[in-house]
Amino acid sequence: MSYPPYGGGYPPQQPGYPGAGAPGGFQPGPGYPQAGPPGGGMPTPESASAAAYGGAPGGLPYAPQPQGGPGAIGFNTGYPAQPGYPQAPGQPGYPQAPGQPGYPQAPGQPGYPQAPGQPGYPQAPGQQPGYPQGPPAQGYPGQQPGGYHQQPPAGQQPGYPQGPAPPPQGQAAYGQPQYQQQSYGAPPAAQPGYAAPPPAASYQAPPATGGPAYGGYGTGQVSGVGHQSMSAVKDEPTLKPAANFSAESDVQILRKAMKGFGTDEQAIINILGRRSNKQRMDIKQMYKVCFGKDLIRDLKSELGGRFEDAIIALMMSPREFDCYELRGAMKGAGTDEATLIEILCTKTNAEVNEIKETYKKMYHRDLEKDVISETSGHFKRLLVSMLAAFRQESQAVDMAKASTDAQSLYQAGPKKWGTDESTFNMILASQSHEQLRAVFNEYVKISKRDIQSTIKSEMSGYLEDGMLAIVRVVQNKHEYFADCFHGSMKGLGTKDRMLIRITVSRCEIDMKNIKRAFQQKYGKSLESYIQGDVSGDYKKLLLTLVSEGY
């Protein structure tokens, strides 16, 4: 649709803009047009048009016009009315890029602003030729007091043409020339009579530092509940797979160490004490392939004492060794309850299930039935719960449930005449370690004492030991095994079977962590305890397993 001619209209023009000061031509001025009369409120398009070009007879309807001509409000002055051309989506009054439908005639045609160097409107440095340019940056005139009284929409200033909204950071608007923030000039710091523009910080990138300001995504710190959050601690072994491993070379060294008169124990330590469990299993198979003999049988025939026990422990898979120890704790006269607790109360669901399957393969017996026949009372129930291997390990922390369970423990223990052991068993055996940490934290708030002291005062015997083992592993498993090391060597004599079991089972998992916990709690290194408690090749092997580069 064409724009209807306004009364008084455009005077006939020659090609290009007329010279400054010519009748009907561009009148130089210091920037954007003055606001309306004082106290007149927001000017309407009709009043602005009438002020610039004369009144329109009969009040013709006003159609949105392209903005941007110098000294004009919504019109490109200096050329006759043209067929309307579409605006960029959502951008009022911004001129289209060259080549778009409805764009005014090419340079040289009547009414089109001339390229730089031609008579007409001068181009600002760096601007594309042919675009009607915005006014210079210093072009806001002083406003009459009381000019504008209404807060404009965000991002717009009343009384002068609006430029397009800045495109997203680092991206040009579609179909438009590259957005330049200085094209329209920055308003002065304070102008009486109209609202300040939006702050420049609206388009700034968020700060680089992490924190809770952006949708709650902070630095990723773990917020542990209660005691140490073990999920945030990385396990560090002392024994790692050997580089450039060759099972064939290793079995030849072992064969040479055991062949003939005497045995080279140091060669055996250097091989079996410095290979991972997977590599040792490969060595065991390769030995049979190369020599047609069983490596474990040859080792037993050549070695003896605690050194032999430690070497044989290394030649089993982790689950085979667990089953070997469990069977040894229950067969014959008496039962080694401490071994049952240490193994069954510290394992994951998957590990317990593997132990049950391996035990049946090795001994053709049912582990749960053997445990039931060797234990009794609430201690038996606790171990059966552990063998069920149904702890909710993937359970998310539920603080409401933690508070309820903590209250249940308090009611079953200190608040009750006697003790309801079943409540303790139910909670300790079924909840995830993370959930239990939350429960223990809530328990302290309710009872004003920690859960360990409650168990010590409410339980006794092996039931107390078993429940304490669960609690201590949940709170800090590395400290728990450091205590086991200390318990195996303190006092007269050494609990060698316990010392071997912890050393062999933890050296490839978290021995570094255990050593740090031992040093912190007992003020001496684990190596110094071992050196002072055992001797010979047995001591050399243990130190090789707990120390890197021994």
Side-chain angles (χ1 to χ4, degrees), residues 139-264:
Y140 291 119
Q143 300 297 324
Q144 297 294 335
Y148 298 160
H149 301 286
Q150 187 173 2
Q151 175 69 23
Q156 298 185 13
Q157 299 301 324
Y160 56 88
Q162 301 299 319
Q169 198 169 23
Q171 176 182 345
Y174 298 106
Q176 303 291 355
Q178 178 67 34
Y179 173 73
Q180 298 180 1
Q181 196 164 0
Q182 297 302 321
S183 296
Y184 304 100
Q191 289 290 342
Y194 64 90
S202 300
Y203 301 105
Q204 291 178 352
T209 55
Y214 300 103
Y217 295 100
T219 58
Q221 294 178 345
V222 177
S223 55
V225 182
H227 285 250
Q228 175 187 12
S229 179
M230 297 306 300
S231 59
V233 178
K234 180 182 178 182
D235 288 340
E236 298 179 80
T238 51
L239 180 59
K240 301 175 183 178
N244 304 317
F245 169 69
S246 171
E248 185 176 355
S249 297
D250 285 350
V251 298
Q252 292 175 9
I253 295 172
L254 289 173
R255 180 61 181 159
K256 182 179 180 181
M258 294 184 286
K259 186 177 181 181
F261 182 76
T263 304
D264 186 352

Side-chain angles (χ1 to χ4, degrees), residues 9-144:
Y10 293 98
Q13 303 295 330
Q14 297 301 320
Y17 283 106
F26 167 62
Q27 302 297 328
Y32 286 94
Q34 300 291 331
M42 178 72 74
T44 65
E46 290 84 353
S47 65
S49 173
Y53 306 107
L60 293 176
Y62 174 78
Q65 305 295 322
Q67 301 179 13
I73 296 185
F75 297 93
N76 288 320
T77 60
Y79 56 92
Q82 300 295 328
Y85 53 90
Q87 303 296 327
Q91 304 295 333
Y94 195 80
Q96 300 295 323
Q100 298 297 327
Y103 195 82
Q105 287 89 345
Q109 298 298 326
Y112 189 79
Q114 300 300 315
Q118 301 297 329
Y121 186 69
Q123 300 290 332
Q127 300 288 345
Q128 299 188 28
Y131 280 70
Q133 302 300 323
Q138 69 274 14
Y140 291 119
Q143 300 297 324
Q144 297 294 335

Side-chain angles (χ1 to χ4, degrees), residues 7 56 224 340 361 463 502 542:
L340 300 182
K361 291 178 182 177
L463 176 63
I502 304 167
L542 294 183

